[in-house]
Amino acid sequence: MTDANFSRPGAVDLSALANASAPTASGGFVTSVSEADFESVANLSLQHPVILEFHSPRDPAGQNVSAALADLVNAAGGRYLLARVDVDAEPRLAQALGVQAVPTVVALIGGQMAPLFQGTRSEEEIGALLDQVAQLAIANGMTGRAQPVSGAALSDDPAAAPVNPRFEKADAALEAGDFAKAVEEFDVLLKETPSDPEVIAGRAQAALLQRSMSFDPEAIVAAAAERPDDVQAQFDAADLEVINGRYEEAFDRLLGLVAEVAPEDRDPIRLRLLELFEIAGRTEPVVLKARRRLASVLF
């Protein structure tokens, strides 16, 4: 993931900031958080990603970042919770988490903190980073959705969190580990809204999880090396690379393959690439570059 490493050494031990209080709600999927209620927010990251924004009301440059984050998070309908920390009001919390400048935005996934960006970014750049956070969470089996916090305190009880009605069946299947059923439910949603990017991405992620259930990584790597012309072997290797966040390697693998096969054999490879593009994030530079290469091969 760009600008993030969810397994970096020395990640903050969130259990050190313990308190059972509930954070003050700010509306939608956006809440304010203090040192006193930080642990309850961190606990939510065991169910869905939490985006932490460290800001200061005295920083006018950060206002556009705050507005873009709130718009994107609320539009995502529960993919993440945005937890905002006012560093002027909560200097000890900012210091404990190593925040040196505002705005600073980090992600919490499974109780681990990783940096996303510091300073100002465009809404498009922020959206691309949030897409990657959501995709990484799903790839790691984290399928819960955030609870709207409008007018109410947050709960760290996952059973209390409502789900987006549109995705209720697909989310339930993902939560149960029934990825084949999740694919079926996303297919139903695709019939209703064929151009919905969230449905398309969700279906791609569920399909990848379904395929990965039978993966033997060592066997996949060996088969791909031994059989460079075997389309299925290369599909498996590309899936494995995507799961490990090595998007460029996966795309290069399949782009090389699509250039080598006969024109009548290209469509399955094209479709797999388009599916993997959704998982990586359609606005990511690596995806845009790969799309251009694919177009040059096909046309």
Side-chain angles (χ1 to χ4, degrees):
M1 172 185 292
T2 306
D3 291 330
N5 178 357
F6 288 93
S7 59
R8 63 186 178 88
V12 175
D13 181 3
L14 302 174
S15 64
L17 296 170
N19 195 290
S21 303
T24 303
S26 300
F29 295 94
V30 182
T31 189
S32 298
V33 64
S34 67
E35 180 181 3
D37 49 48
F38 183 78
E39 190 192 15
S40 61
V41 172
N43 286 342
L44 294 177
S45 76
L46 300 174
Q47 305 300 323
H48 56 72
V50 174
I51 308 301
L52 281 176
E53 177 200 0
F54 296 88
H55 71 100
S56 168
R58 297 180 292 105
D59 173 33
Q63 292 177 5
N64 289 337
V65 170
S66 294
L69 278 167
D71 288 346
L72 289 165
V73 167
N74 283 328
R79 273 187 175 183
Y80 352 74
L81 173 74
L82 174 61
R84 307 183 73 234
V85 179
D86 180 345
V87 299
D88 296 334
E90 301 292 336
R92 292 205 311 169
L93 179 57
Q95 183 179 14
L97 297 177
V99 176
Q100 298 179 345
V102 292
T104 290
V105 180
V106 303
L108 285 172
I109 293 185
Q112 294 298 306
M113 186 176 78
L116 292 181
F117 65 90
Q118 180 177 296
T120 58
R121 294 285 181 97
S122 70
E123 184 166 350
E124 183 179 65
E125 291 173 314
I126 295 171
L129 286 168
L130 293 183
D131 283 345
Q132 290 181 63
V133 170
Q135 290 151 13
L136 182 60
I138 290 177
N140 284 276
M142 184 178 292
T143 58
R145 287 189 174 257
Q147 176 181 359
V149 296
S150 178
L154 283 170
S155 167
D156 57 12
D157 177 8
V163 297
N164 185 322
R166 289 188 64 225
F167 295 93
E168 184 173 3
K169 292 182 179 179
D171 286 344
L174 287 169
E175 191 74 31
D178 189 346
F179 303 126
K181 179 64 174 176
V183 170
E184 292 177 6
E185 296 298 341
F186 279 117
D187 283 339
V188 171
L189 292 173
L190 278 175
K191 290 179 181 178
E192 299 171 356
T193 53
S195 301
D196 187 322
E198 187 171 2
V199 176
I200 293 170
R203 202 269 183 201
Q205 292 155 1
L208 176 61
L209 288 169
Q210 181 185 5
R211 295 193 299 268
S212 70
M213 291 295 290
S214 60
F215 274 7
D216 178 340
E218 291 185 5
I220 286 173
V221 171
E226 293 168 3
R227 304 194 298 273
D229 299 328
D230 185 324
V231 173
Q232 187 57 55
Q234 301 309 313
F235 277 178
D236 290 345
D239 279 349
L240 186 62
E241 287 162 344
V242 166
I243 289 170
N244 289 323
R246 291 153 48 198
Y247 299 119
E248 188 167 11
E249 293 176 44
F251 300 157
D252 286 346
R253 178 184 297 280
L254 296 187
L255 286 166
L257 186 63
V258 79
E260 293 173 0
V261 301
E264 61 269 21
D265 296 328
R266 289 175 175 173
D267 202 49
I269 306 171
R270 177 186 68 85
L271 292 174
R272 179 58 61 88
L273 273 165
L274 294 178
E275 186 175 292
L276 297 182
F277 290 166
E278 293 295 336
I279 294 171
R282 59 177 61 181
T283 61
E284 278 298 292
V286 67
V287 171
L288 298 177
K289 178 182 175 182
R291 282 188 186 277
R292 289 192 295 269
R293 286 183 57 194
L294 178 62
S296 69
V297 170
L298 297 178
F299 307 108

